[in-house]
């Protein structure tokens, strides 16, 4: 008999397995349908000996000291601040838009104050922002919207910004200084030896049993357990009874090149050309020294593994139905991106898992008459 069956060995599942095993001294069976732990953050050394991220670049950043300190128990860090360029008319300019972007794009030498005045002059006032197009044009006007946002968003989501919730594009900052960092969080770093090594240390506990390439439906029938934590698709758990929640997926094409570097920065976006959205060069992220380099092209797709919940009114209404079903269950928790149907950053997933552990799980075990700290 296991105390907990945890479905999904990504961030949510591994954090909760570690907390339950080490703090509550409970037996945990952690399963995953894939042949590895780490979920979409899984990384590995390819045939050339280059450390790559199997499911696209994962850049860790957070403002939460609590989250950073927790993960620091399982990894050393390499300081890394991610920088992204956008390829526009054959010219690479910083993204998010900053002072250097504007000056390079328009061949000007504006100061920060002049850039603020420029953006104010081109922005389109919108009384009530109702979609991503309005969120962007109200900040930067139509020309910059067309240049950086409109077609990139269409490639990524197969929807125009006018069809998406304001938060999809609206959360991207616009700066009038020369800060070229993609993120401005207090803690920005990469696991020194990779994400997979961090996950391995997280689940290395005698109370945690790991089962890979495991089918949830089979395991739940065969393995007795008291509680269930489900980090997979919430609609799949309920047999898609209300229909499938929509997701966008990605197709990755890797290429190893006999050069030390091919890009000047970790990621280059392609908002208006080609079918792929961006190219990432891993050695910028990992700091690895190697005479060759590996890049990955990302092609958005409607088919494949679920990556991005589609933020629309219809999908929100559909998720609400599944959430209502979940709330009827006892001793079952849904968490993580797929369980919550939200595109959380990695630190947000960790924070959500820690909060679930601290506020809910011990109380539930006590309620069921199980000694939490036996």
């Amino acid at each position: 008999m296991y105390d907990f069956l945890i479905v999904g060995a990504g961030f949510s599942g591994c954090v909760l397995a570690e907390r339950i095993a080490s703090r509550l001294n409970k037996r945990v069976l952690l399963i995953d349908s894939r042949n590895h732990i780490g979920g979409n953050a899984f990384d590995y050394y390819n045939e050339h000996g280059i450390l790559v991220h199997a499911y696209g670049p994962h850049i860790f950043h957070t403002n939460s000291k609590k989250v950073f300190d927790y993960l620091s128990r399982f990894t050393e860090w390499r300081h890394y601040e991610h920088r992204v360029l956008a390829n526009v008319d054959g010219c690479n300019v910083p993204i998010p838009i900053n002072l250097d972007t504007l000056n390079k794009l328009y061949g000007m030498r504006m100061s920060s104050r002049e850039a603020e005045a420029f953006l104010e002059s081109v922005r389109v006032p919108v009384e009530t922002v109702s979609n991503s197009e309005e969120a962007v044009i109200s900040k930067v006007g139509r020309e910059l919207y067309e240049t950086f946002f409109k077609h990139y968003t269409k490639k990524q989501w197969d929807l125009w910004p006018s069809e998406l919730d304001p938060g999809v594009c609206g959360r991207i900052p616009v700066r009038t200084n020369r800060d070229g960092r993609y993120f401005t969080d207090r803690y920005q770093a990469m696991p020194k030896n990779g994400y997979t090594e961090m996950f391995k240390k997280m689940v290395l506990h005698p109370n945690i049993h790991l089962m890979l390439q495991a089918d949830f439906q089979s395991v739940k029938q065969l393995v007795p357990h008291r509680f269930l934590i489900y980090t997979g698709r919430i609609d799949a758990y309920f047999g898609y009874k209300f229909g499938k929640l929509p997701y966008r997926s990605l197709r990755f094409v890797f290429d190893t090149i006999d050069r030390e570097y091919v890009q000047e920065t970790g990621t280059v976006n392609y908002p208006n050309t080609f079918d792929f959205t961006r190219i990432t060069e891993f050695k910028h992220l990992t700091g690895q020294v190697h005479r060759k380099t590996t890049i990955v092209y990302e092609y958005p797709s409607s088919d494949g593994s679920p990556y991005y919940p589609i933020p629309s009114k219809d999908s929100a209404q559909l998720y609400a139905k599944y959430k209502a079903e979940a709330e009827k269950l006892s001793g079952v928790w849904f968490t993580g991106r797929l369980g919550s149907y939200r595109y959380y950053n990695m630190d947000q997933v960790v924070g959500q898992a820690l909060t679930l552990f601290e506020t809910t799980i011990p109380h539930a075990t006590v309620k069921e008459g199980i000694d939490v700290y036996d």
Side-chain angles (χ1 to χ4, degrees):
M1 167 72 77
Y2 284 94
D3 297 302
F4 287 84
L5 170 60
I6 300 180
V7 180
F11 268 105
S12 294
C14 288
V15 168
L16 285 162
E18 187 280 326
R19 293 284 79 191
I20 291 167
S22 64
R23 293 294 303 278
L24 302 186
N25 193 29
K26 298 304 175 185
R27 297 183 73 234
V28 177
L29 177 61
L30 176 63
I31 72 171
D32 201 288
S33 60
R34 290 170 170 168
N35 64 356
H36 59 74
I37 61 174
N40 288 348
F42 171 70
D43 54 15
Y44 67 99
Y45 288 92
N46 66 14
E47 64 272 26
H48 303 280
I50 299 172
L51 182 62
V52 301
H53 298 179
Y55 305 98
H58 282 68
I59 317 299
F60 186 80
H61 57 98
T62 187
N63 282 316
S64 171
K65 185 177 187 302
K66 175 182 176 180
V67 168
F68 186 75
D69 286 349
Y70 171 75
L71 293 178
S72 296
R73 302 177 188 185
F74 312 103
T75 185
E76 295 180 57
W77 298 98
R78 171 183 178 263
H79 178 70
Y80 174 73
E81 294 180 331
H82 195 48
R83 296 174 189 272
V84 177
L85 299 173
N87 187 274
V88 177
D89 297 329
C91 177
N92 287 341
V93 296
I95 194 76
I97 294 169
N98 68 8
L99 181 59
D100 288 336
T101 310
L102 297 172
N103 282 334
K104 195 168 185 179
L105 199 63
Y106 293 110
M108 301 174 69
R109 298 180 64 181
M110 289 185 285
S111 66
S112 291
R113 183 172 295 179
E114 289 169 333
E116 289 175 10
F118 170 77
L119 291 174
E120 182 61 31
S121 71
V122 298
R123 65 181 292 270
V124 178
V126 178
E127 186 172 341
T128 303
V129 173
S130 62
N131 58 57
S132 275
E133 178 179 312
E134 293 175 345
V136 175
I137 64 173
S138 66
K139 288 182 179 179
V140 300
R142 290 202 172 274
E143 184 176 5
L144 290 169
Y145 161 74
E146 295 269 350
T147 300
F148 292 103
F149 296 92
K150 182 176 181 179
H151 300 286
Y152 188 95
T153 303
K154 174 62 173 172
K155 282 197 289 185
Q156 180 72 27
W157 297 98
D158 196 28
L159 293 168
W160 295 109
S162 59
E163 300 175 277
L164 289 167
D165 287 352
V168 178
C169 296
R171 65 187 178 90
I172 300 172
V174 177
R175 303 169 186 149
T176 54
N177 57 24
R178 299 189 64 190
D179 188 348
R181 298 174 299 166
Y182 198 76
F183 308 108
T184 57
D185 299 67
R186 180 180 179 186
Y187 303 99
Q188 301 185 48
M190 298 291 289
K192 186 176 180 180
N193 298 310
Y195 286 101
T196 300
E197 289 302 311
M198 180 181 72
F199 286 115
K200 285 180 180 177
K201 291 181 179 179
M202 199 177 293
V203 300
L204 187 62
H205 192 284
N207 284 343
I208 300 174
H209 294 174
L210 181 65
M211 185 184 297
L212 300 176
Q213 294 180 289
D215 174 64
F216 166 62
Q217 296 297 332
S218 299
V219 171
K220 78 171 184 176
Q221 299 297 331
L222 296 173
V223 180
H225 55 279
R226 292 187 174 96
F227 301 102
L228 172 67
I229 297 173
Y230 193 85
T231 75
R233 293 184 59 152
I234 189 171
D235 52 348
Y237 179 89
F238 291 105
Y240 306 108
K241 63 188 293 184
F242 303 119
K244 286 190 174 184
L245 286 164
Y247 286 89
R248 285 292 279 172
S249 188
L250 292 170
R251 179 171 62 90
F252 302 103
V253 177
F254 292 84
D255 187 20
T256 298
I257 301 161
D258 196 9
R259 286 173 55 187
E260 190 172 4
Y261 287 98
V262 296
Q263 295 186 164
E264 58 185 293
T265 193
T267 297
V268 178
N269 289 357
Y270 289 80
N272 303 310
T273 52
F274 303 104
D275 293 332
F276 52 83
T277 51
R278 60 182 180 175
I279 302 173
T280 295
E281 186 170 12
F282 294 104
K283 283 169 53 184
H284 287 284
L285 282 56
T286 64
Q288 184 180 6
V289 176
H290 198 290
R291 67 179 182 84
K292 294 184 178 183
T293 191
T294 297
I295 60 176
V296 65
Y297 300 80
E298 292 185 41
Y299 292 85
S301 170
S302 57
D303 301 314
S305 299
Y307 284 93
Y308 302 108
I310 296 179
S312 66
K313 291 180 180 179
D314 289 345
S315 61
Q317 291 171 356
L318 181 56
Y319 168 67
K321 294 181 179 180
Y322 285 113
K323 184 180 179 183
E325 290 295 297
E327 289 171 350
K328 297 175 185 177
L329 301 177
S330 176
V332 180
W333 297 276
F334 297 85
T335 189
R337 289 177 176 178
L338 302 182
S340 306
Y341 195 67
R342 290 192 64 181
Y343 183 75
Y344 288 123
N345 291 328
M346 291 181 287
D347 67 314
Q348 293 172 312
V349 172
V350 174
Q352 183 192 40
L354 292 174
T355 298
L356 176 61
F357 173 77
E358 292 163 359
T359 63
T360 304
I361 288 176
H363 304 294
T365 57
V366 170
K367 185 178 179 181
E368 291 293 322
I370 300 173
D371 184 359
V372 185
Y373 297 104
D374 63 1

